[in-house]
Amino acid sequence: MFAKNFSSLKSSITSFDLKFTSLFNQRQVDKLQKCHEQSCCNFSLSQRHLQTSEELIMEEYGEPQLVVKKRSVELPSLKPGEILVRVLASPINPSDINTIQGMYAVKPDLPCILGNEAVAEVIQVESPSGSLEVGNWVIPSYNAWGTWRSHAIAESSDFIKLPSGMDRAAAATLAVNPTTAYRMLRDFVDLKPGDTIIQNAANSAVGRNVIQLCSHYGYKSINVVRDRPTIAELKKELTDLGADVVVTERELRTDRKIRQMDKPALALNCVSGKSATELLRHVQDGGVLVTYGGMARQPVTVPVGSLIFNDVRLRGYWQTRWNLNPDNQSARQEMLNDLCELFKQGKLTPPPYKFVHFSDYQTALKDAMPAEGQVGAKQILVFD
Amino acid sequence: MFAKNFSSLKSSITSFDLKFTSLFNQRQVDKLQKCHEQSCCNFSLSQRHLQTSEELIMEEYGEPQLVVKKRSVELPSLKPGEILVRVLASPINPSDINTIQGMYAVKPDLPCILGNEAVAEVIQVESPSGSLEVGNWVIPSYNAWGTWRSHAIAESSDFIKLPSGMDRAAAATLAVNPTTAYRMLRDFVDLKPGDTIIQNAANSAVGRNVIQLCSHYGYKSINVVRDRPTIAELKKELTDLGADVVVTERELRTDRKIRQMDKPALALNCVSGKSATELLRHVQDGGVLVTYGGMARQPVTVPVGSLIFNDVRLRGYWQTRWNLNPDNQSARQEMLNDLCELFKQGKLTPPPYKFVHFSDYQTALKDAMPAEGQVGAKQILVFD
């Protein structure tokens, strides 16, 4: 199933005019194929079943509460070189919801096990053992692994080992949001302590990581959020995380403190539509707007004068693409080490979250859907 | 007047959120100030008048045919180190029309002498002579020099010398359009022979230069033009210049030849609005859309997925900004030498143009205005 999902991922990406072939290296393809043959569905009944895996799957695209189903699968005994992991926690991210709805760039072949992000614990290792040992905490090394399940059999190299001593929620939500914040602050503009960045959706999981990383690196952050009845509370919450300025979209145009600050060289856009255009008004000449989301379901609209006369630059960021590039693998390990260290030091904290037992997945899916354009606490599935 | 115009240019640019201070170096400011004091308006009546300059000026912003006026000014005798030039030809560019209408990023103080581009001949040199000699052809070294006049007194360093043997129309239209085409093909994507670019407004002056330069460098060009009754004629004309494919906006989506070509890494956008979005659909992953015009008077609208999943990048280009950067001055001389050589070899040709005596400036202005969104032959003012 993985290999099938994977080829579909590639073909759906191609249908989005993406050429990923060079990014998906053959080693990964082979590994996925093997993983599929060994550990997923059609194993022989004569094999000894050591472990039942509870899985959340979909057989058709549609609204999450209608199409996500639960199933139990008996896992076979380990073959040489394999490991058995139990999933400790796996979040429901916006991209998971969009994937289920069939509205994401990645469209897995169906049926498939859902979920892209998780932290798992190695509970059994079959020699010859790889680099992993029983007790290690790991995260999947590639996207679309199918993390909403209690157990899985795989190879060591399908996982990246985390340092010990991590908080479970932090580890479960490490691979998508903090990494996106980290790379966007590093890879587009050469920021120095004292420099300013601006972002919208500042209270999102990525937005909160951006605030905390800016505070750690000594960058000033201007944080735009939507107005709401509890705005004072939210402003305090983000300021406590390290935000220099928190403003509503309306306040952004008139805030006196912002006018006295240097114009940002970097703008991070998760909303698009009018909100992105508003960010562009604040970016300094030659500055970069990086788009990583389209919450407003509107395109990014750029005044011609901003491009020609102000020399603003527009880029996009997608963690999945970055992860798939073989050239980035050592930087990836370094990034994960850095981020884990910051979590352990308390300089990064997970976003507001709620652990939900996977048997309550219907409630978790409902609570993970945006209500009036706003998402509440991150729903994290747990399996024990 | 120059210094006044110049400071206004700076302040108007600042009001457009541009920070040009670092680009306008003090040497240029000082020179403009000196030039103003010596050669423009308020010289002493006791000075000997050697030359009358006929000038096209504006005293207020508005529609070109209403606000452009002609005046005669007696020039004083040369002071040590100065030169006297006679303007051979000076085009009316779209940016000149927009400047007069008050719709351009550069808003000179009024009254001012109009025009940004020209070729002039040095007709008198006062020792100590600089690098220029009588008979040299020169172009202004900075924007907003006021080129719509028959004569001027200035310093050698206010001009860049052209190689001898240039065609007058080619020299007069060298500094804005061919340079824009040249830089856009060089500075954004590392193109190699066989690579493909795509552009709209392919029949514009810049567009024709792009076609010819691509043909010279061995790049394939996909050229988009608006449909018109004379489309067959235009297609032949651009193909004869070296275009690989010429299509109307409608044909762009379905053209079979384009589907068989590699996707372009570079798109050049002079139109914006829907036309830019259409170009983006064709750009390869990681490709760059460079915007240098907004003929459709619409912003550039970018689908969020193009940014995130296709990693398209958006940039702007403005020749004036590039020229003002002190770091670019040796590259500028090299570029002008390259372009002059290509013109002399016939690999570049001027766009369709018409010489118009400056006394007929009203007709020239009328014919330089877009009719139904299309501009005809480039109007080039001559003064002899």
Side-chain angles (χ1 to χ4, degrees):
Chain A
M1 183 183 299
F2 287 134
K4 209 173 149 206
N5 288 354
F6 189 72
S7 81
S8 160
L9 184 154
K10 279 205 293 182
S11 69
S12 78
I13 281 175
T14 305
S15 78
F16 267 66
D17 288 335
L18 298 171
K19 281 186 190 158
F20 256 29
T21 322
S22 64
L23 294 179
F24 285 84
N25 63 45
Q26 192 56 42
R27 194 175 137 267
Q28 280 180 312
V29 174
D30 295 345
K31 192 174 293 172
L32 285 163
Q33 200 109 31
K34 195 171 165 203
C35 170
H36 162 55
E37 287 158 8
Q38 290 179 342
S39 68
C40 284
C41 312
N42 307 313
F43 49 80
S44 153
L45 284 174
S46 66
Q47 288 179 288
R48 188 169 133 242
H49 298 146
L50 291 172
Q51 185 67 55
T52 301
S53 179
E54 305 288 344
E55 306 176 341
L56 297 180
I57 64 161
M58 72 170 171
E59 293 171 324
E60 57 181 328
Y61 291 104
E63 278 315 295
Q65 290 178 265
L66 297 176
V67 299
V68 177
K69 314 277 183 203
K70 187 158 77 75
R71 75 171 179 194
S72 296
V73 172
E74 300 299 320
L75 299 183
S77 54
L78 296 187
K79 290 183 181 163
E82 288 184 340
I83 61 170
L84 175 66
V85 300
R86 71 178 182 104
V87 177
L88 299 172
S90 178
I92 302 178
N93 285 322
S95 59
D96 296 317
I97 298 293
N98 293 339
T99 300
I100 296 165
Q101 291 167 327
M103 290 165 65
Y104 198 59
V106 178
K107 288 193 178 54
D109 261 6
L110 304 182
C112 74
I113 305 172
L114 294 162
N116 289 292
E117 189 181 26
V119 62
E121 183 185 6
V122 179
I123 57 171
Q124 195 182 335
V125 173
E126 192 66 28
S127 68
S129 68
S131 58
L132 296 178
E133 294 169 9
V134 170
N136 287 162
W137 280 21
V138 294
I139 61 174
S141 62
Y142 46 84
N143 194 55
W145 180 73
T147 57
W148 295 356
R149 54 174 155 175
S150 65
H151 295 80
I153 293 173
E155 292 186 24
S156 299
S157 54
D158 296 332
F159 295 100
I160 298 171
K161 181 174 142 186
L162 298 187
S164 61
M166 283 291 288
D167 169 78
R168 180 160 70 152
T173 59
L174 176 69
V176 176
N177 295 321
T179 53
T180 299
Y182 183 96
R183 294 252 70 90
M184 291 197 302
L185 289 175
R186 291 199 166 217
D187 294 352
F188 296 92
V189 169
D190 184 21
L191 294 171
K192 292 177 181 58
D195 287 348
T196 305
I197 72 104
I198 188 169
Q199 65 167 342
N200 56 25
N203 57 320
S204 69
V206 171
R208 287 163 191 262
N209 290 137
V210 166
I211 290 170
Q212 292 181 300
L213 287 173
C214 283
S215 175
H216 174 62
Y217 293 136
Y219 312 150
K220 294 191 177 71
S221 64
I222 299 169
N223 299 279
V224 186
V225 293
R226 274 176 293 198
D227 204 1
R228 64 197 71 206
T230 56
I231 185 71
E233 201 177 307
L234 179 61
K235 283 187 177 184
K236 181 174 184 316
E237 198 181 320
L238 300 186
T239 305
D240 288 348
L241 285 181
D244 293 275
V245 179
V246 186
V247 286
T248 63
E249 290 173 345
R250 190 177 48 77
E251 291 165 344
L252 178 60
R253 287 210 175 199
T254 53
D255 187 273
R256 287 181 63 186
K257 194 170 173 194
I258 294 175
R259 291 186 179 202
Q260 288 159 3
M261 292 166 79
D262 287 341
K263 286 195 158 204
L266 178 66
L268 306 177
N269 166 42
C270 182
V271 180
S272 301
K274 282 180 190 167
S275 177
T277 313
E278 206 60 37
L279 292 191
L280 276 173
R281 288 169 47 89
H282 289 266
V283 170
Q284 66 177 229
D285 285 11
V288 183
L289 177 88
V290 181
T291 292
Y292 68 100
M295 281 166 53
R297 299 197 179 282
Q298 296 285 331
V300 177
T301 301
V302 196
V304 169
S306 297
L307 289 162
I308 301 178
F309 302 121
N310 296 67
D311 192 25
V312 297
R313 296 134 194 242
L314 271 77
R315 297 286 302 272
Y317 186 73
W318 191 26
Q319 189 62 47
T320 299
R321 170 187 289 270
W322 189 90
N323 285 347
L324 285 167
N325 187 340
D327 294 344
N328 292 336
Q329 299 317 309
S330 70
R332 189 181 183 190
Q333 190 61 62
E334 186 192 342
M335 166 176 71
L336 292 171
N337 292 345
D338 277 3
L339 289 171
C340 286
E341 187 56 33
L342 291 172
F343 273 109
K344 285 162 71 177
Q345 292 174 6
K347 290 180 178 168
L348 278 174
T349 52
Y353 65 89
K354 190 179 172 192
F355 283 136
V356 184
H357 194 264
F358 87 100
S359 57
D360 270 343
Y361 70 90
Q362 284 282 6
T363 310
L365 287 169
K366 180 169 162 285
D367 291 345
M369 305 277 287
E372 294 172 9
Q374 293 180 26
V375 184
K378 190 176 284 283
Q379 305 295 303
I380 303 179
L381 299 169
V382 291
F383 301 85
D384 51 10
Chain B
M1 182 185 300
F2 287 134
K4 208 173 151 203
N5 288 354
F6 189 73
S7 80
S8 160
L9 184 153
K10 280 204 294 182
S11 68
S12 78
I13 283 175
T14 306
S15 78
F16 266 66
D17 288 337
L18 299 170
K19 280 186 191 159
F20 257 28
T21 322
S22 63
L23 294 179
F24 284 86
N25 62 44
Q26 191 56 44
R27 193 174 136 269
Q28 281 180 310
V29 175
D30 294 345
K31 193 174 293 173
L32 285 163
Q33 199 111 31
K34 194 172 166 201
C35 170
H36 162 55
E37 287 160 7
Q38 290 179 342
S39 67
C40 283
C41 311
N42 306 313
F43 49 79
S44 154
L45 284 173
S46 66
Q47 288 177 288
R48 189 169 132 241
H49 299 147
L50 291 172
Q51 185 65 55
T52 301
S53 178
E54 305 287 344
E55 305 176 343
L56 296 180
I57 64 161
M58 72 170 170
E59 294 171 323
E60 57 182 328
Y61 290 104
E63 279 314 295
Q65 290 179 266
L66 297 177
V67 298
V68 177
K69 313 278 182 200
K70 187 159 76 78
R71 74 171 180 194
S72 295
V73 172
E74 300 299 320
L75 299 183
S77 54
L78 298 186
K79 290 184 180 163
E82 287 185 339
I83 62 170
L84 176 66
V85 300
R86 72 179 181 103
V87 176
L88 299 172
S90 179
I92 302 177
N93 285 321
S95 59
D96 296 318
I97 299 293
N98 292 339
T99 300
I100 296 166
Q101 291 166 327
M103 291 164 65
Y104 199 59
V106 177
K107 289 193 177 54
D109 260 7
L110 304 181
C112 74
I113 305 172
L114 294 161
N116 289 291
E117 189 181 26
V119 61
E121 182 185 7
V122 179
I123 57 172
Q124 197 183 332
V125 172
E126 192 66 27
S127 66
S129 67
S131 58
L132 296 178
E133 296 170 7
V134 169
N136 286 163
W137 280 21
V138 293
I139 61 173
S141 61
Y142 47 83
N143 194 56
W145 180 73
T147 57
W148 295 356
R149 54 173 155 176
S150 65
H151 295 81
I153 293 172
E155 292 186 25
S156 299
S157 54
D158 297 331
F159 295 99
I160 297 171
K161 182 174 141 183
L162 298 186
S164 61
M166 284 290 288
D167 169 77
R168 181 160 70 154
T173 59
L174 176 71
V176 176
N177 296 321
T179 53
T180 299
Y182 182 97
R183 294 250 71 89
M184 290 197 302
L185 289 175
R186 291 197 166 219
D187 294 352
F188 296 91
V189 169
D190 184 19
L191 294 171
K192 293 177 181 57
D195 286 349
T196 305
I197 72 105
I198 189 169
Q199 64 167 343
N200 56 24
N203 58 321
S204 69
V206 171
R208 287 163 190 262
N209 291 137
V210 166
I211 291 171
Q212 293 182 299
L213 288 174
C214 282
S215 175
H216 173 63
Y217 293 135
Y219 311 149
K220 294 192 177 70
S221 64
I222 300 170
N223 299 280
V224 186
V225 294
R226 274 175 294 198
D227 203 2
R228 63 196 72 205
T230 56
I231 186 70
E233 201 177 309
L234 180 61
K235 282 186 177 183
K236 180 174 185 316
E237 199 181 325
L238 300 186
T239 305
D240 289 348
L241 285 182
D244 293 275
V245 179
V246 186
V247 286
T248 63
E249 289 172 346
R250 192 177 47 77
E251 292 165 344
L252 176 61
R253 286 209 175 200
T254 54
D255 187 273
R256 288 181 62 185
K257 193 170 173 192
I258 294 175
R259 289 184 181 205
Q260 288 159 3
M261 292 166 79
D262 287 341
K263 286 196 159 203
L266 178 67
L268 305 178
N269 166 43
C270 183
V271 179
S272 302
K274 282 180 192 167
S275 177
T277 312
E278 206 61 37
L279 291 191
L280 276 173
R281 288 169 48 89
H282 290 265
V283 170
Q284 66 177 230
D285 285 10
V288 183
L289 176 88
V290 182
T291 293
Y292 68 100
M295 280 166 54
R297 299 196 179 283
Q298 296 285 331
V300 177
T301 301
V302 196
V304 169
S306 298
L307 288 162
I308 300 178
F309 302 120
N310 296 68
D311 193 24
V312 297
R313 295 136 194 242
L314 272 78
R315 297 285 303 270
Y317 187 72
W318 189 26
Q319 189 62 46
T320 299
R321 170 187 288 270
W322 190 90
N323 286 346
L324 285 168
N325 187 340
D327 295 343
N328 292 336
Q329 298 317 308
S330 71
R332 188 181 183 190
Q333 189 62 61
E334 185 193 341
M335 165 175 73
L336 292 171
N337 292 347
D338 277 4
L339 290 170
C340 286
E341 187 57 33
L342 291 172
F343 273 108
K344 284 163 73 176
Q345 291 173 8
K347 290 180 178 167
L348 279 174
T349 52
Y353 66 88
K354 191 179 171 192
F355 283 136
V356 184
H357 194 264
F358 87 100
S359 57
D360 270 344
Y361 70 91
Q362 284 282 5
T363 311
L365 286 169
K366 179 168 162 286
D367 292 345
M369 305 278 285
E372 293 171 10
Q374 294 180 24
V375 184
K378 190 176 281 284
Q379 306 295 303
I380 303 180
L381 299 169
V382 291
F383 301 85
D384 50 12

